[in-house]
Amino acid sequence: MLLSHWQRRLGVLAICFAMVLPVAPLQAQSQGNRLPNLGDGAEVPLGVERRLGESIAREIYRDPDYLDDPVLGDYLQSIWQPLLASARQRGELTPELEQQFAWDVALIRDRSINAFALPGGYLGVHLGLISAVSNGDELASVLAHELSHVTQRHIARMIAQQGRQGPMVMGAMILGMLAASRTPSASGMSAANAVMVGGQAAAIQSQLNFSRDMEREADRVGYGVMTEAGYEPQGFVGMFEKLQQAARLNDNGSFPYLRSHPMTTERISDAQARQQLMPKRGLIPTTSLHAMMAARAQVLVKPGVDVLRTLAAQAHASGLAISPKAKQAGVLYGAALAELTQRNFGEARQHLVRLQALTGLDASAQRVIRLLSAEMALTSGDANQAVALLEVKATALANNDRATRIQLAQSRVATHKPAQGKLAASDMSLWLSQHPRDATAWLVQASAFELQGDGLRAIRAQAEARAMELDYAAAVDRFKAAQLLAHQMASEKQLDAAGHMEASIIDARLRELEKLRREQALER
């Protein structure tokens, strides 16, 4: 688990922030009046914060609960990118900050309802959050809040303040907060409490007081970012109502937000007053796309066989046919994926046929259904069918359709045909030229090169994948293996002009990664 890595390394810092509803008056927001920022975090240089974030992100990428699911990832990016654009337009995201920080959002296989911001622009979203929110606007409210923690340099300010209190106190306090967010069980909470007890009470209280100021600023800025990105302000209200309901029930452990930031009477009153100032609008509808992505998150969290069977059984409910279209789509998608996960291919196809028969779905919903169909074909061993399903749309892909590109390349490799491997490698090369930090794409490309018998490029792609996961030691090992192979091939006169160019790239990248590895070792 993520916690085990971080508890073993008290020197690694991570900051989890709760999302609470903005309380600034609606009129001030509509008039564009903005309160002064708490500070600019200049005490901690951007580069230092980025390296600190990388040290934590490296542990996340190694963890089995880290998940790179291109389908859910594309959905998350469809919400995240407009928020970044809004923050950029408002001046919250400065050019220097945008260039220096990662702005990477990771999916975490955890059923609790939580999201967190780390130093250097790394963010995390639990699958439980995606499955719990009712619409994309509620999810946008959480992401906007976390984004604002980063743009307002809250993490830098917290590091600077905690540094004055001593690194061990700082480490104990932050690790305790992180433990609470990742371990809702009784045993997990006792571990979190044990870490917290290691810090000084005065320092912890000082941190909580400072955090409340940062939360108010993140609320205010996040609300502006979200609404100016085109999302409905009711998304904040809907998310707050979920938190308030959990607080009323004393929180069953599924809401880590409430453990780090309890819903006080004052906060609830402020939020209710704010809601009354908002214009009366109807409920935000749940789209078919969101319903299907929420169902996917439920299945990918690995809930156990009993839950998977329950999800599959919902497709047979008597009233489903008269339910709203979005609910039908979500239930049928979840049932198909649950059966597919259990390798019940016949039942999965039956649910898929019913899902495909739904009328009136928009292009985004039809796209994820097509991806599910190809996923089903690939999982059941028919890679050729998966290629056929995805190849039809490959010539007219949107620039941000990562899921189709990755899944098509994986399906091509799974055919075990060198000609298909060549196409997959070409597709991934084109994608990587625009997205060089995509570790999964590098791994898929490595498999494609292996299928063609191109060991040199395959090893180099494996090395690049390790580098993108910030595991510089592993990357250096693979680059050395590629360098050794290149020397052997050159001595046997097996390197053509393109091979010599590849060898030169490997030499240059090895020097870069060795330097990064030395720097990484010094930080431990």
Side-chain angles (χ1 to χ4, degrees):
M1 294 177 64
L2 294 172
L3 175 60
S4 63
H5 286 300
W6 286 330
Q7 280 182 318
R8 286 197 300 267
R9 296 183 59 192
L10 285 175
V12 175
L13 310 181
I15 301 172
C16 287
F17 292 104
M19 199 288 287
V20 294
L21 197 66
V23 296
L26 182 65
Q27 293 94 329
Q29 293 289 349
S30 63
Q31 295 170 3
N33 296 330
R34 294 175 183 165
L35 299 175
N37 293 336
L38 295 174
D40 60 8
E43 293 177 345
V44 179
L46 295 177
V48 172
E49 185 177 340
R50 171 67 182 268
R51 288 194 296 274
L52 179 58
E54 287 181 351
S55 69
I56 302 169
R58 182 171 63 253
E59 301 299 329
I60 292 177
Y61 296 148
R62 290 175 177 175
D63 194 278
D65 284 335
Y66 166 70
L67 175 69
D68 181 11
D69 180 67
V71 178
L72 274 179
D74 279 359
Y75 179 59
L76 204 60
Q77 286 297 318
S78 73
I79 298 172
W80 175 245
Q81 290 302 322
L83 294 174
L84 283 178
S86 175
R88 189 182 303 116
Q89 180 67 30
R90 287 167 49 91
E92 313 291 353
L93 179 56
T94 65
E96 183 183 15
L97 198 61
E98 184 170 13
Q99 180 181 11
Q100 295 248 17
F101 279 10
W103 307 111
D104 181 46
V105 183
L107 287 168
I108 308 299
R109 197 193 303 271
D110 192 300
R111 70 192 64 184
S112 63
I113 299 170
N114 199 23
F116 55 84
L118 299 173
Y122 291 96
L123 291 90
V125 173
H126 289 193
L127 293 186
L129 175 65
I130 298 174
S131 62
V133 296
S134 301
N135 48 66
D137 299 79
E138 290 182 1
L139 185 55
S141 73
V142 179
L143 292 176
H145 181 91
E146 299 303 326
L147 169 62
S148 300
H149 277 305
V150 180
T151 61
Q152 302 311 114
R153 303 297 312 280
H154 289 169
I155 297 174
R157 282 182 256 156
M158 182 177 285
I159 292 171
Q161 185 192 35
Q162 291 165 343
R164 292 191 295 269
Q165 298 166 346
M168 292 306 295
V169 173
M170 174 173 54
M173 181 165 48
I174 295 176
L175 284 170
M177 294 169 63
L178 191 60
S181 76
R182 285 282 291 134
T183 52
S185 65
S187 61
M189 282 303 298
S190 63
N193 291 336
V195 176
M196 287 291 286
V197 167
Q200 299 175 8
I204 293 173
Q205 184 60 52
S206 172
Q207 155 60 21
L208 293 177
N209 290 340
F210 188 42
S211 179
R212 280 194 288 269
D213 290 335
M214 293 191 298
E215 286 298 314
R216 283 193 289 268
E217 186 176 49
D219 291 339
R220 171 174 56 83
V221 175
Y223 178 82
V225 167
M226 173 195 171
T227 53
E228 290 182 30
Y231 294 102
E232 291 291 338
Q234 290 95 319
F236 258 112
V237 177
M239 194 66 213
F240 179 81
E241 288 175 346
K242 288 179 170 62
L243 294 173
Q244 185 180 15
Q245 181 180 11
R248 191 180 299 119
L249 297 174
N250 296 320
D251 183 18
N252 63 0
S254 298
F255 285 72
Y257 287 158
L258 297 176
R259 289 196 295 274
S260 55
H261 293 262
M263 300 301 295
T264 63
T265 302
E266 179 183 4
R267 288 180 177 175
I268 293 173
S269 299
D270 287 342
Q272 289 173 338
R274 178 178 178 82
Q275 185 174 359
Q276 292 173 359
L277 292 171
M278 298 173 65
K280 299 295 183 180
R281 298 185 184 179
L283 295 176
I284 304 172
T286 300
T287 65
S288 296
L289 174 62
H290 178 78
M292 289 189 285
M293 293 300 92
R296 186 175 184 86
Q298 279 187 291
V299 174
L300 293 185
V301 80
K302 293 184 177 179
V305 174
D306 290 341
V307 174
L308 292 176
R309 289 173 178 170
T310 300
L311 291 173
Q314 291 176 0
H316 302 294
S318 57
L320 182 61
I322 59 175
S323 298
K325 190 67 61 68
K327 181 177 180 179
Q328 292 184 54
V331 168
L332 292 173
Y333 187 100
L337 189 59
E339 295 287 19
L340 181 62
T341 302
Q342 300 174 83
R343 303 190 70 80
N344 298 327
F345 300 125
E347 293 84 348
R349 291 190 186 98
Q350 291 176 12
H351 299 316
L352 177 63
V353 169
R354 291 174 60 191
L355 179 61
Q356 292 170 327
L358 293 178
T359 59
L361 299 182
D362 62 18
S364 62
Q366 292 173 5
R367 169 182 167 274
V368 299
I369 294 173
R370 183 175 64 255
L371 286 166
L372 176 62
S373 179
E375 182 179 356
M376 195 172 294
L378 182 60
T379 305
S380 62
D382 195 344
N384 290 315
Q385 184 188 4
V387 170
L389 287 167
L390 297 170
E391 205 171 27
V392 176
K393 298 291 183 180
T395 57
L397 284 180
N399 291 334
N400 58 354
D401 191 346
R402 176 176 181 259
T404 299
R405 286 182 173 85
I406 294 289
Q407 198 172 103
L408 176 57
Q410 290 172 330
S411 300
R412 290 190 191 280
V413 171
T415 65
H416 303 295
K417 299 175 182 178
Q420 289 290 335
K422 184 176 181 179
L423 290 172
S426 177
D427 290 345
M428 289 297 93
S429 293
L430 182 61
W431 174 259
L432 286 166
S433 67
Q434 300 296 321
H435 305 85
R437 291 171 53 198
D438 192 334
T440 297
W442 281 112
L443 289 175
V444 174
Q445 189 184 56
S447 298
F449 282 136
E450 286 177 346
L451 182 57
Q452 299 173 71
D454 191 341
L456 182 62
R457 287 179 176 81
I459 297 175
R460 185 239 164 154
Q462 293 168 2
E464 295 290 3
R466 299 285 82 85
M468 297 311 113
E469 292 171 346
L470 307 174
D471 190 348
Y472 299 141
V476 166
D477 287 343
R478 297 312 293 155
F479 273 117
K480 285 183 176 179
Q483 189 181 61
L484 182 63
L485 178 59
H487 291 165
Q488 179 182 342
M489 293 175 67
S491 67
E492 297 173 357
K493 301 187 184 306
Q494 295 179 359
L495 274 187
D496 56 12
H500 281 289
M501 182 176 295
E502 187 73 14
S504 297
I505 294 173
I506 289 168
D507 291 341
R509 289 291 288 148
L510 178 57
R511 288 192 294 271
E512 292 177 25
L513 267 298
E514 284 181 327
K515 179 182 178 183
L516 289 172
R517 182 184 63 172
R518 288 192 296 269
E519 292 174 353
Q520 194 175 78
L522 290 174
E523 293 170 0
R524 292 182 177 179

